[in-house]
Amino acid sequence: MYLIETHAHLDMAQFDEDRTEVIGRAVARGVRRIVSVGIDVASSRAAVELAQRFPAVYAAVGIHPHDAKSADDRALAQIEQLAAHPKVVAIGEIGLDFYRDHSPHDQQRSAFAAQLELAGRLGLPVIIHDRQAHEDVLAILDQHPCLPGVMHCFSGGPQLAQEVISRGLYLSFTGNITFKNADRARRALAAAGPDRLLLETDCPFMAPEPHRGSRNEPCHVELVAATAAKVLDLSLVEVAARTTDNAYELFGFERREAEPRIVYEFKDALYLNITNRCGNRCPWCARQSSYIVGPYLLKLQREPSPVELYAALDNYDVTQYPELVFCGFGEPLMRIDDLLQIARELRRRRARSIRVNTNGWAGLALGRDVVEPLVGLIDEVWVSLNAPDAANYEQLCHPEQGLKAYEALIEFVRRARELLPKVALSAVDYPGADIPGAQRAARDLGLPLHVRHYSQRP
């Protein structure tokens, strides 16, 4: 399980004695990326220096509303120079603070607008501070439409959360959602949902329970995630996956790891990536471009042997996952014999349930039956239906086998219904896909259709 800490102040004096250990603790707990956020020119420069020293640390540079009175042309030019560093992922922390009033309101508005303009010119997202200035913040943001960003340490209620999301921005919540008196923040989180959610600690401030009152640090973002999971009625693993993906999308971190993953966590399941071979060329599939899911690179240099997969599985307790799923960026049934061998080993390791995600026509490509061998080993198959008929399927998915592919898919589904415990169908609402037609086809087959939302994420 991986987490992203989207807002920390690692340059501050509270970390001078043990900064390296603090970052090491976070990485050891699965915090894959930490954004260290500047509040003035000096702290922004320090954030960049930390990003240079520590692989897990990235930087945001900007002038906080408390220091807006110092945001003259020279200071803004220095921020722009710092923003050119390759590990700077945002302009921030910027915004308005009408609670403490450390800078005059007009100067705050001017500095905020100037840094929004800078972010737009540089193509960077923004990290926004908003305290008791909601109307003014939104009014200034509306002068810079379509600028990506996040409302840091969100302090509004459910209605404001919806207004922020409607502008395409993210909401970030910190340790305050763990406090007993934070019902309003938790209601805002519930109203926002997971699609535009980020997690942060704002360390060294605002430590979550049970550490409230002590110095906060990035490893505590897991406690924020755990509370968010309870509020949203999701598993901790799913919240971690969703917020990690959101952070990657907003901040554009480099997502390629040194080695591709053959075993990876997604939502609350454990996935097995055994092949990249697929006879379809579906336009929404990331194998057409990045081969990346969240933080995982799934592009295989070669297909792993069953023994290599077993070694990778040794890092996981398979009994702790509701499902183990054969699904990467390929058609797993193209390796039917290896898949069966691996499934037997998963049974020996007491896997609770085993699923295969398939395009349904590997049997046609291999010239053999791929359904009956699954009996007794596979609990469930999910078949990518995607279309109501062969012509639509060929136009949408571009199968190597042409019109015969859809016929083989339907035959696979019918036989699987007879022989396997559970079969489900899926479709992606890609532009031009006939989802109503696919729903009718699913009803004719007597099976549910799960419609997955198309995302243009890289």
Side-chain angles (χ1 to χ4, degrees):
M1 182 181 73
Y2 295 115
L3 289 160
I4 308 295
E5 154 70 288
T6 63
H7 199 106
H9 298 287
L10 292 176
D11 65 292
M12 289 190 169
Q14 290 92 326
F15 298 113
D16 284 351
E17 298 296 323
D18 61 347
R19 187 171 286 109
T20 298
E21 291 79 5
V22 165
I23 295 171
R25 272 195 295 275
V27 172
R29 294 293 296 270
V31 180
R32 179 168 288 272
R33 298 286 185 265
I34 303 168
V35 181
S36 189
V37 181
I39 57 173
D40 54 23
V41 172
S43 65
S44 294
R45 184 176 292 110
V48 172
E49 290 170 355
L50 287 171
Q52 289 176 315
R53 286 176 54 198
F54 297 97
V57 177
Y58 286 72
V61 297
I63 299 175
H64 192 283
H66 290 347
D67 293 287
K69 55 183 175 291
S70 68
D72 55 20
D73 290 346
R74 182 173 178 272
L76 292 172
Q78 290 177 301
I79 293 295
E80 182 169 0
Q81 290 174 352
L82 291 168
H85 192 280
K87 289 194 77 176
V88 170
V89 295
I91 299 297
E93 180 177 350
I94 64 176
L96 304 177
D97 191 315
F98 294 170
Y99 175 72
R100 296 200 181 275
D101 282 340
H102 288 323
S103 287
H105 291 189
D106 286 346
Q107 289 183 347
Q108 290 190 41
R109 295 186 186 97
S110 177
F112 185 29
Q115 291 179 95
L116 291 173
E117 187 278 331
L118 173 64
R121 182 155 45 82
L122 299 180
L124 289 172
V126 292
I127 298 174
I128 302 165
H129 176 104
D130 169 22
R131 192 166 188 191
Q132 293 191 6
H134 304 322
E135 291 184 6
D136 289 70
V137 166
L138 294 180
I140 294 173
L141 285 172
D142 287 344
Q143 296 172 23
H144 300 267
C146 302
L147 187 63
V150 54
M151 199 73 79
H152 137 74
C153 191
F154 185 71
S155 60
Q159 182 176 347
L160 182 64
Q162 293 298 331
E163 291 186 43
V164 171
I165 289 173
S166 71
R167 288 165 169 81
L169 299 171
Y170 289 83
L171 300 178
S172 184
F173 291 86
T174 185
N176 65 332
I177 65 170
T178 70
F179 300 165
K180 291 180 180 179
N181 62 348
D183 288 341
R184 185 167 180 257
R186 288 188 286 269
R187 289 198 306 272
L189 171 59
D195 290 343
R196 289 273 158 179
L197 174 64
L198 299 177
L199 303 173
E200 62 172 276
T201 62
D202 197 19
C203 66
F205 314 111
M206 216 173 303
E209 298 289 359
H211 304 286
R212 189 174 184 181
S214 62
R215 183 192 69 173
N216 201 3
E217 58 181 84
C219 69
H220 295 331
V221 73
E222 184 177 356
L223 298 171
V224 182
T227 297
K230 291 179 182 178
V231 171
L232 296 171
D233 194 24
L234 298 172
S235 70
L236 176 58
V237 169
E238 183 167 6
V239 166
R242 298 285 287 274
T243 54
T244 295
D245 203 32
N246 291 343
Y248 275 116
E249 182 178 19
L250 178 62
F251 293 121
F253 302 119
E254 172 54 57
R255 294 196 280 186
R256 294 187 178 273
E257 297 179 326
E259 295 293 333
R261 298 297 291 263
I262 58 176
V263 178
Y264 64 102
E265 294 175 317
F266 184 67
K267 297 185 178 179
D268 59 353
L270 193 64
Y271 281 64
L272 311 179
N273 176 33
I274 64 172
T275 184
N276 288 162
R277 284 184 286 161
C278 182
N280 281 352
R281 288 184 294 109
C282 302
W284 57 82
C285 181
R287 73 189 299 271
Q288 309 298 339
S289 55
S290 65
Y291 280 83
I292 287 170
V293 169
Y296 306 122
L297 172 64
L298 301 186
K299 187 171 186 177
L300 301 172
Q301 302 304 315
R302 59 180 178 81
E303 292 180 338
S305 69
V307 172
E308 288 174 310
L309 195 77
Y310 303 154
L313 284 167
D314 287 342
N315 297 311
Y316 303 88
D317 179 357
V318 301
T319 66
Q320 299 303 305
Y321 297 89
E323 281 188 308
L324 274 78
V325 185
F326 286 95
C327 178
F329 277 131
E331 169 50 60
L333 292 179
M334 292 296 292
R335 294 188 65 188
I336 179 67
D337 292 326
D338 288 334
L339 183 148
L340 296 173
Q341 180 180 336
I342 294 164
R344 293 188 190 98
E345 174 63 15
L346 295 176
R347 290 295 181 197
R348 189 189 70 78
R349 298 189 186 201
R350 299 183 179 178
R352 290 155 63 180
S353 180
I354 304 174
R355 166 160 56 102
V356 174
N357 288 1
T358 174
N359 63 27
W361 59 266
L364 174 65
L366 296 173
R368 59 178 286 191
D369 178 21
V370 295
V371 180
E372 189 167 352
L374 305 178
V375 175
L377 289 173
I378 303 302
D379 300 289
E380 183 176 1
V381 292
W382 278 45
V383 185
S384 300
L385 182 66
N386 288 319
D389 54 56
N392 275 276
Y393 187 81
E394 183 179 35
Q395 183 177 8
L396 187 65
C397 299
H398 309 288
E400 292 176 354
Q401 300 289 336
L403 296 174
K404 293 181 180 179
Y406 191 79
E407 298 170 6
L409 183 161
I410 297 300
E411 180 59 25
F412 176 93
V413 171
R414 287 174 175 152
R415 293 206 64 224
R417 278 195 62 199
E418 296 174 0
L419 298 175
L420 299 178
K422 190 173 181 181
V423 181
L425 305 174
S426 68
V428 177
D429 61 354
Y430 184 79
D434 184 359
I435 297 300
Q439 290 171 328
R440 289 192 297 273
R443 284 196 296 270
D444 290 343
L445 291 165
L447 291 169
L449 180 74
H450 300 268
V451 179
R452 294 188 290 122
H453 177 60
Y454 167 65
S455 171
Q456 293 184 340
R457 293 177 178 179

